[in-house]
Amino acid sequence: PFGDNGALALSFNAMEQYYQEQGRDWERYAMIKGRILGADAHDPNVSLLRRLLRPFIYRRYIDFSVIQSLRDMKNKIAREVRRRGLEDNIKLGAGGIREIEFIVQVFQLIRGGREIGLQRHELLKLLPEIEKLQLISTQQCEDLRQAYLFLRRVENVLQAINDKQTQLLPTNELDRQRLIAATALFTQWDANLQPTEIRYPIHNWESFYLVLQRHQQKVRSVFDVLIGDNNDSEDNNSNNDWNDFLDNDFQNEELEQILINSGITESDHEAMIEKLNQFRNSLTHRPIGVRGQDVLARLMPGLLLQIFQHDAYLTLLPRMLNIVEKILTRTTYLELLVENPQALSQLIELCAQSNMIAEQVARHPILLDELLDRNSLLNPPPFEQYANELQQYLLRLPQDDEEQFINGLRQFKQATLLRVAAADILGALPVMKVSDHLTFLAEAIINAVVNLAWQQVTTRFGVPEHLQEQQKGFLVIGYGKLGGIELGYKSDLDLVFLYDHKQTGQTVGGKKTIDCNQFYLRLAQKIISIFSMNTSAGILYEVDMRLRPSGEAGPLCSTLSAFEQYQHNDAWTWETQALVRARAVFGEAELRAQFDHIRQNVLSSVCDVQKLKRDVREMRVKMYEHLANTDTDKFNIKKDPGGITDIEFIAQYLVLANAPQNQALTYWSDNVRIFDIMAKYGVISLQHAEQLKQCYVDLRNRIHHLNLLGLPSIVKAEEFVQEREFIREIWQSLFD
């Protein structure tokens, strides 16, 4: 700190204060290689110092400012190479050792805060980590590794000749022959730390130089792709009419002329100019800084050019300007869009079709990182892998930082939601698959939340004494859209918590002993607390617990036996209807089987069909009176007659009315497969089942896309006329 003017030894507090307030970019690069000499892993001072320095070196956000800083540093080195005639310097020259180090460091500095595997010193061990994250290809990884080993071999030989620190290739014949002999055949360790012979086709100085150049060219090609020079993009923008948009003397007349040149409808000019001026005026009140102003000046011309080339410029302009305003003071996100033109184009395409995505990105700019790879947007992972993906994601985070762990859950949810929405918009996912992805994402997060809550509660209170190892004796039941595997983009989670408690007892192994009933109540409270905790990344999900036995008057957590007794003896018809769409989403296999048995027995209990019809019909009328749309020119897809709710009630009625004669009808919890099984057993015709399914899928698909646009689930009355008429016919045939 402070270089030659600084003290030789500093306190930890002085170190932390210096790097927080005055640390410069090049000091971050230097610190990446820094390590505590003779460090004892059990010394608390070692871990304390590492914790103090880590936020300076490895930023928690994706830090693309690094690219421009490394580019500037490399350009400075290149100027020095030209000035001093160091073209044959194997460290500083093009494709040399320093460029390999820069390539590795750029990933460490950009992503090291979120990828704990990148927080290490050894370059050769970092390359496989970078490849594992799919940031470079397998071939690029091997090219860089071989080039680094060869260049280091050359450097070692050069320095051994005269015991002198040098990286310049020799000019005299004897030293050249020494270098030829030392690089044509030598031994190095392989990946398993076994000696292996390396042979190169080197016979004379020309063949040596050819091998050297091939390695340097491979390094240079990777370096140019990742860091390179940005002169090309600047040249492409040289004829852009928007180049002077941020200048203080830019007039409305010039704005109007650009809009005319862009072919914008004249009636839209006034609104567009007003929004653009509002944005320009807002800049005067924001502490952007010199670097931020420079990056913004490079971003805006290309951004505005693309916006006004788009058919949806009327909605796109305010959405994109809102995102830019939200990230103005976080220059690294502006740099991400400048450095990755494909990410900017992807963002424009998605925001044009989805207000939800635009709002999410504005609230959580960290999501911009998800736009860097179009292939990952078009090919989301199989939804069955979400639990494993989340586990791998959380393993990359520091395990001793609870806040970052909970933030990690939210970031994973938001990033996955963005990928699913993008695949939906880009036509890569049909509506049924969208719901599958959203449902299994929620289940993966429920699993992580329950495990985190369990860890925290058991640390304090121990575990119930009757449990075996690896048991929790706890079930999470999903109702509604979660239970029906039909979650939408804005769905909350309808949950019920159950536990297995065949005997009374207490907890053991904790700091404090409590009754087992109290233990599971504390666990339920902790789960809800984690879901509801509002951090910088937002909340996880809204959780609705009103479907538990006795509703809001009932306990947060019930035993399986109490749940069974309530469902058989005290549940209202609407609660039994809700049970049709219930399924276990967390818990041991044995407990899940117990719940399935209870559910099937309740749903197949003998009932008075006429009373069932009356109860279902009255509940539907009550919902319509309180919730439905009263505008005859509009159709509420979810709540109006002939909409989603009618289809759901039809499915639930068919199960409850017919399951007493055939328990197999209770198996499925989702509407589509309920209609399939009703047709299979002849309860309804195959034609009616297919029509009901198609109506349901079409209506849900429209709701999904309205959600993406940030609009309510309401359309013009002229839409879905045939579907509504068919659904009303089925309703009348069952209930009238």
Side-chain angles (χ1 to χ4, degrees), residues 303-349:
L303 172 61
L304 292 172
L305 182 66
Q306 289 190 63
I307 288 173
F308 286 107
Q309 286 174 342
H310 202 288
D311 293 339
Y313 61 83
L314 274 174
T315 53
L316 189 54
L317 180 67
R319 290 174 187 176
M320 292 303 301
L321 292 183
N322 181 47
I323 290 173
V324 174
E325 284 185 18
K326 291 294 192 295
I327 62 176
L328 267 180
T329 56
R330 304 170 77 175
T331 309
T332 186
Y333 292 122
L334 297 175
E335 285 169 320
L336 183 153
L337 296 175
V338 170
E339 296 292 345
N340 297 275
Q342 81 283 0
L344 178 60
S345 299
Q346 190 73 74
L347 179 64
I348 289 171
E349 182 180 354

Side-chain angles (χ1 to χ4, degrees), residues 431-678:
V431 62
M432 297 297 290
K433 292 296 182 184
V434 169
S435 288
D436 287 345
H437 278 268
L438 297 177
T439 301
F440 280 84
L441 168 63
E443 288 188 37
I445 290 174
I446 288 169
N447 183 75
V449 168
V450 174
N451 284 323
L452 176 61
W454 181 269
Q455 177 188 336
Q456 293 180 348
V457 174
T458 56
T459 298
R460 185 177 180 190
F461 298 112
V463 298
E465 58 187 351
H466 65 277
L467 293 180
Q468 302 296 316
E469 191 173 351
Q470 302 301 318
Q471 281 188 338
K472 290 185 173 67
F474 185 73
L475 273 178
V476 179
I477 310 301
Y479 275 73
K481 287 184 169 55
L482 174 63
I485 320 177
E486 295 163 356
L487 277 186
Y489 291 110
K490 296 188 175 181
S491 299
D492 57 8
L493 302 183
D494 293 307
L495 301 180
V496 168
F497 299 141
L498 304 176
Y499 63 99
D500 182 27
H501 194 207
K502 298 183 178 70
Q503 55 195 32
T504 58
Q506 294 184 317
T507 59
V508 293
K511 299 173 184 176
K512 182 180 178 182
T513 297
I514 58 173
D515 176 80
C516 287
N517 293 316
Q518 279 294 311
F519 171 85
Y520 284 111
L521 176 60
R522 296 289 181 94
L523 178 63
Q525 290 170 335
K526 176 56 72 174
I527 291 169
I528 294 171
S529 170
I530 293 172
F531 270 118
S532 307
M533 190 182 300
N534 203 342
T535 71
S536 59
I539 66 167
L540 265 176
Y541 286 96
E542 296 283 353
V543 173
D544 191 338
M545 299 290 297
R546 289 175 296 177
L547 288 173
R548 66 186 187 271
S550 301
E552 292 179 331
L556 274 181
C557 204
S558 300
T559 64
L560 273 163
S561 56
F563 177 82
E564 181 177 21
Q565 184 178 355
Y566 178 87
Q567 294 295 335
H568 277 296
N569 302 321
D570 300 311
W572 295 82
T573 300
W574 65 265
E575 290 179 290
T576 310
Q577 283 180 249
L579 190 63
V580 171
R581 286 160 62 78
R583 63 188 179 89
V585 294
F586 175 90
E588 289 112 47
E590 182 183 346
L591 293 185
R592 288 176 183 243
Q594 287 183 43
F595 170 77
D596 289 342
H597 181 70
I598 292 169
R599 175 180 172 275
Q600 288 176 358
N601 284 342
V602 171
L603 297 182
S604 59
S605 297
V606 176
C607 66
D608 181 340
V609 175
Q610 292 306 314
K611 180 180 182 301
L612 174 65
K613 281 187 181 183
R614 186 170 61 252
D615 288 348
V616 172
R617 188 170 55 237
E618 288 176 357
M619 175 56 68
R620 183 67 188 99
V621 170
K622 190 180 296 184
M623 288 179 67
Y624 176 69
E625 289 173 349
H626 285 85
L627 301 172
N629 161 60
T630 55
D631 187 346
T632 55
D633 294 330
K634 303 291 184 184
F635 169 53
N636 188 315
I637 301 174
K638 291 176 69 174
K639 300 168 183 175
D640 278 355
I644 289 279
T645 302
D646 279 2
I647 299 177
E648 291 173 344
F649 271 44
I650 288 168
Q652 292 160 13
Y653 169 77
L654 290 174
V655 172
L656 297 178
N658 295 281
Q661 294 80 45
N662 184 357
Q663 197 176 63
L665 299 176
T666 67
Y667 188 78
W668 298 112
S669 62
D670 62 289
N671 292 311
V672 168
R673 285 184 289 193
I674 286 174
F675 291 133
D676 280 337
I677 204 168
M678 292 298 161

Side-chain angles (χ1 to χ4, degrees), residues 3 74 91 103 168 235 240 252 286 319 347 365 371 385 425-428 458 495 583 602 614 616 644 648 664 692:
K74 178 58 186 173
K91 183 171 185 177
I103 289 167
L168 279 173
D235 292 342
N240 190 334
N252 282 355
R286 307 292 293 278
R319 290 174 187 176
L347 179 64
L371 303 174
Q385 293 182 11
I425 288 170
L426 299 173
T458 56
L495 301 180
R583 63 188 179 89
V602 171
R614 186 170 61 252
V616 172
I644 289 279
E648 291 173 344
L692 283 167

Side-chain angles (χ1 to χ4, degrees), residues 87-88 169 202 204-214 216:
E87 284 79 4
D88 279 343
L169 293 177
I202 296 175
N204 50 37
W205 187 248
E206 287 72 24
S207 57
F208 164 81
Y209 209 74
L210 183 62
V211 170
L212 175 66
Q213 284 185 316
R214 284 175 180 166
Q216 290 174 326

Side-chain angles (χ1 to χ4, degrees), residues 347-365:
L347 179 64
I348 289 171
E349 182 180 354
L350 295 175
C351 289
Q353 300 187 57
S354 173
N355 188 52
M356 184 193 81
I357 288 180
E359 289 179 348
Q360 281 287 91
V361 171
R363 276 199 297 268
H364 311 293

